Amino acid sequence: MTNRPSKILNRFFSFGNKVHNGLYRMSSGKFANKAANLSILLITTIGRKSGKLYTNPVVYLNEGEDYLVAASAGGTDWHPDWYLNLLKTPEAKIEIGEMNIKVLATIVEGEDRNRLYGKFIAASSNFIKYEKNTSRVIPVILLKVT
């Protein structure tokens, strides 16, 4: 993986997330709720270094009663911070519309990961581009409702 984004770019992402989260919450998920032809949830994780709560918009797919997310970061060569946070503390909270749901994250690996990533590709061709643009394997995470 290449270097992480610059501090300036991180500030830009952080500001964008705050605006996105605000629009999503103010509208109970009616606005800022789609990207790459997929629905968006807000995931709140515990910072792996700071211990603070961080909320990020992420596209998702339903997987039975649970949810799937892919740590694509738009095809960049670095993992998104929310994913790194889940590696340390897999307990998280998601918001879908007006629902607040506690989840436990499991990183899916091997053939199961490939099969589930295929669901993202089937839902949006952007995920083909993401894979082509990065040298890393894009993680797929199962968010199991607790």
Side-chain angles (χ1 to χ4, degrees):
M1 286 190 285
T2 62
N3 292 335
R4 306 279 304 160
S6 68
K7 287 184 180 181
I8 292 172
L9 192 55
N10 267 340
R11 286 186 188 134
F12 175 77
F13 289 148
S14 178
F15 176 76
N17 280 350
K18 286 178 184 174
V19 170
H20 192 136
N21 297 347
L23 286 171
Y24 188 96
R25 286 175 171 152
M26 285 188 324
S27 69
S28 298
K30 291 182 180 84
F31 295 107
N33 64 354
K34 293 275 184 192
N37 297 323
L38 294 171
S39 296
I40 290 179
L41 58 73
L42 301 182
I43 187 165
T44 300
T45 60
I46 299 171
R48 64 196 177 283
K49 297 175 188 173
S50 68
K52 294 180 183 176
L53 296 178
Y54 292 96
T55 302
N56 297 92
V58 181
V59 298
Y60 74 95
L61 297 173
N62 291 87
E63 181 67 9
E65 294 181 4
D66 302 315
Y67 303 91
L68 292 173
V69 293
S72 65
T76 61
D77 274 336
W78 57 82
H79 292 303
D81 286 336
W82 62 263
Y83 167 74
L84 299 173
N85 292 343
L86 288 174
L87 289 176
K88 181 171 183 194
T89 307
E91 295 85 6
K93 180 187 84 166
I94 60 173
E95 298 170 55
I96 300 174
E98 294 179 331
M99 296 186 305
N100 288 292
I101 305 164
K102 290 182 181 181
V103 294
L104 182 64
T106 301
I107 312 307
V108 183
E109 297 180 343
E111 285 305 312
D112 283 338
R113 179 259 172 220
N114 296 339
R115 178 181 58 79
L116 294 174
Y117 193 78
K119 290 184 176 190
F120 284 95
I121 291 172
S124 173
S125 62
N126 286 359
F127 285 89
I128 295 169
K129 296 174 199 167
Y130 299 158
E131 268 191 319
K132 288 181 181 177
N133 289 341
T134 185
S135 59
R136 67 188 175 91
V137 174
I138 295 172
V140 174
I141 302 96
L142 174 67
L143 301 174
K144 185 138 185 77
V145 175
T146 59

